């Protein structure tokens, strides 16, 4: 079977170059979401002789989640991330024995009992953030959420305080980490969507720019591992201790230290970036809708901020889910066909990878209803969910390669959002241009940096 030649595509198609006018290097997935409105639930883009099939409809995207017919494909920005995270959980090939070993070793680290243990570290970051913001009239949300999510991972995962909320500022190694992460995320996104030849030349310069910082970051992580192994840092039941001390039940072996470093880098890159994106989107909507922020505050003051209280915050989690639905931090995933088959009436040969555009599929009116493009947390109430049983919602991926840290990220996000709303009344520092935040893409989907005005919320 050959790839179907009848697939819709953005025109005009230029001889040899292909759909060169259907590419947006800076905001590729948002542009593709717009194309889907015109081309339908499945279409293709062609650059030179490379054809990329995009799946934008919720029903077809759901079919691509069927593990019997489809599998995860390592491509696009995820493939680029291998340059920093190596054989980490997010970027290792499924066939890599270390992927399965690491997954088995780490799964207990994300169970409910482990999340209860990490909650104290999450609370300490929330305390520091609230104190850091106290007395300020305007704050940069992008920087604050980047710092908060990095601190949560560092403290809960590796028992390290990066100093990102101290008046003195972070230590030089943490600053290097911030610069390196920003550069690799930008490079991963832009180089994936560059035009041939031009992009390759640009990529060489970008790669040189971040390579030195990347090596210093790896040395920083190696130092953390070495300090724990040597006993300089005390043993702990954090994620690092789990990776260093746990014997894989299948192989009887521990993870090699180099792979431990890859996993640490994976949590720092994928974990902080995606959660920070979720928090920024959510805080934008809360700042734009004071009544919604008041609901979060009321719930927080009723339930409290211990582990069980945060885990049961239904209103807050509905808001987080709606933010994830409209603006998934990972806007799409690649899936490879396990066999010759049809998708949406078009032939897809075995071994061919398609790009499931989560950003479009999660707001498809066919599976989410006529108001699918609107921000409405109440759609997550049980009665509303029953109206659309075939809804598509996979912001954390699907199948055995879905995000292992999903519960961690949601607990962290619910705690930080509820603590912020309890402490402050929020409003956008600049008037909103529309009903949704303006988004930017750099491997992930995050709001264009914005600030909020703060005023202390009255205590009960």
């Amino acid at each position: 079977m050959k790839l179907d030649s009848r697939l819709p595509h953005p025109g005009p198609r230029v001889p040899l170059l292909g759909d060169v006018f259907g590419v947006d290097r800076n905001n590729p997935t948002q542009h593709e979401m717009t194309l889907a409105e015109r081309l339908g639930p499945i279409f293709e883009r062609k650059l030179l002789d490379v054809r990329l099939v995009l799946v934008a409809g919720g029903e077809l995207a759901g079919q691509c989640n069927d593990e019997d017919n489809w599998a995860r494909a390592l491509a696009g920005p995820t493939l680029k991330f291998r340059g920093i995270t190596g054989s980490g959980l997010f970027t290792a090939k499924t066939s890599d024995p270390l992927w399965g070993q690491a997954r088995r070793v780490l799964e207990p680290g994300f169970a409910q009992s482990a999340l209860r243990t990490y909650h104290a570290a999450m609370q300490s970051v929330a305390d520091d953030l609230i104190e850091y913001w106290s007395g300020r009239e305007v704050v940069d949300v992008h920087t604050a959420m980047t710092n908060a999510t990095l601190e949560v991972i560092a403290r809960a995962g590796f028992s390290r305080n990066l100093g990102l909320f101290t008046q003195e500022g972070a230590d030089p190694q943490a600053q290097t980490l911030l610069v390196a992460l920003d550069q690799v995320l930008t490079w991963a996104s832009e180089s994936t969507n560059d035009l041939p030849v031009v992009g390759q030349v640009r990529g060489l310069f970008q790669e040189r720019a971040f390579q030195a910082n990347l090596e210093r970051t790896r040395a920083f992580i190696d130092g953390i591992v070495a300090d724990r192994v040597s006993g300089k840092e005390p043993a702990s039941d954090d994620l690092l201790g789990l990776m260093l001390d746990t014997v894989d039940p299948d192989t009887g072996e521990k993870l090699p230290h180099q792979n431990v470093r890859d996993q640490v880098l994976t949590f720092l890159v994928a974990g902080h970036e995606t959660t920070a994106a979720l928090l920024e989107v959510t805080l934008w909507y809360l700042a734009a809708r004071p009544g919604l922020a008041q609901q979060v505050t009321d719930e927080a003051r009723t339930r409290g901020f211990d582990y069980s209280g945060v885990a049961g915050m239904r209103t807050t989690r509905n808001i987080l889910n709606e933010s994830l639905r409209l603006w998934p931090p990972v806007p799409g995933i690649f899936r490879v066909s396990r066999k010759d088959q049809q998708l949406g009436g078009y032939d897809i040969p075995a071994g061919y990878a398609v790009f499931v555009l989560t950003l479009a599929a999660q707001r498809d009116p066919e599976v989410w209803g006529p108001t699918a493009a609107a921000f409405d947390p109440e759609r997550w109430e049980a009665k509303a969910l029953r109206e659309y049983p075939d809804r598509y919602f996979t912001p954390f991926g699907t199948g055995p390669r879905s995000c292992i840290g999903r519960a961690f990220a949601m607990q962290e996000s619910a705690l930080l959002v509820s603590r912020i709303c309890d402490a402050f009344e929020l409003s956008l520092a600049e008037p909103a241009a529309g009903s949704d935040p303006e988004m930017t893409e750099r491997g992930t989907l995050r709001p264009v940096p914005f600030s909020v005005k703060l005023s202390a919320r009255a205590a009960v």
Side-chain angles (χ1 to χ4, degrees), residues 114-138:
L115 292 180
R116 288 181 179 274
T117 301
Y118 306 145
H119 193 72
M122 295 178 183
Q123 286 180 313
S124 73
V125 175
D127 291 341
D128 288 351
L129 171 63
I130 299 303
E131 182 179 354
Y132 193 75
W133 276 5
S134 295
R136 299 172 186 261
E137 295 182 357
V138 179

Side-chain angles (χ1 to χ4, degrees), residues 266-282:
T266 296
F267 293 133
L268 288 172
V269 175
H272 105 271
E273 175 72 11
T274 53
T275 307
L278 167 60
L279 286 165
E280 286 181 61
V281 170
T282 302

Side-chain angles (χ1 to χ4, degrees), residues 206-219:
Q206 289 179 319
E207 186 170 4
R208 291 170 184 169
F210 76 77
Q211 194 63 45
N213 278 335
L214 176 56
E215 290 305 315
R216 285 193 286 269
T217 300
R218 286 174 172 162

Side-chain angles (χ1 to χ4, degrees), residues 338-357:
R338 294 183 184 271
K339 63 182 183 179
D340 289 347
Q341 59 183 307
Q342 282 203 330
L343 184 65
Y346 297 100
D347 293 338
I348 307 294
Y352 196 89
V354 304
F355 183 65
V356 177
L357 186 57

Side-chain angles (χ1 to χ4, degrees), residues 205-422:
F205 286 102
Q206 289 179 319
E207 186 170 4
R208 291 170 184 169
F210 76 77
Q211 194 63 45
N213 278 335
L214 176 56
E215 290 305 315
R216 285 193 286 269
T217 300
R218 286 174 172 162
F220 176 46
I221 301 301
D222 286 340
I224 292 176
V225 175
D227 287 347
R228 186 68 64 87
V229 172
S230 67
K232 185 177 179 180
E233 291 285 341
S236 174
D237 57 359
D238 56 14
L239 285 174
L240 180 58
L242 188 71
M243 289 187 283
L244 289 172
D245 300 333
T246 302
V247 174
D248 173 30
D250 286 12
T251 65
E253 298 177 353
K254 294 182 180 180
L255 288 174
H257 289 176
Q258 181 175 343
N259 189 258
V260 171
R261 183 190 69 187
D262 288 347
Q263 305 305 340
V264 172
L265 284 167
T266 296
F267 293 133
L268 288 172
V269 175
H272 105 271
E273 175 72 11
T274 53
T275 307
L278 167 60
L279 286 165
E280 286 181 61
V281 170
T282 302
L283 289 173
W284 192 95
Y285 282 117
L286 292 172
R289 303 182 179 203
L292 198 61
Q294 184 64 55
Q295 293 179 39
V296 173
T297 303
D298 293 342
E299 180 176 62
R301 292 180 174 182
T302 299
R303 298 197 58 84
F305 298 108
D306 61 8
Y307 174 82
S308 297
V310 174
M313 289 180 173
R314 189 176 70 180
T315 296
T316 303
R317 287 173 182 265
N318 286 350
I319 295 169
L320 290 168
N321 277 333
E322 185 67 348
S323 297
L324 280 171
R325 185 186 70 84
L326 284 180
W327 304 110
V330 179
I333 57 175
F334 282 89
R335 302 286 286 171
V336 63
S337 180
R338 294 183 184 271
K339 63 182 183 179
D340 289 347
Q341 59 183 307
Q342 282 203 330
L343 184 65
Y346 297 100
D347 293 338
I348 307 294
Y352 196 89
V354 304
F355 183 65
V356 177
L357 186 57
T358 309
L359 176 63
Q362 289 187 172
R363 49 174 77 199
D364 181 0
E366 294 297 320
V367 296
W368 279 102
T371 63
F375 181 82
D376 179 15
E378 292 187 1
R379 74 173 75 249
W380 291 94
E381 294 294 336
K383 180 180 178 181
L385 289 175
R386 285 195 292 270
E387 294 182 23
Y388 298 99
D390 297 324
R391 60 193 174 276
Y392 181 83
F393 183 68
T394 58
F396 295 97
T398 186
R401 296 301 299 258
S402 61
C403 177
I404 195 173
R406 174 177 184 167
F408 183 104
M410 294 301 287
Q411 183 76 7
E412 168 190 1
S413 298
L415 174 63
L416 289 171
V417 165
S418 59
R419 285 291 308 277
I420 289 169
C421 287
D422 176 65

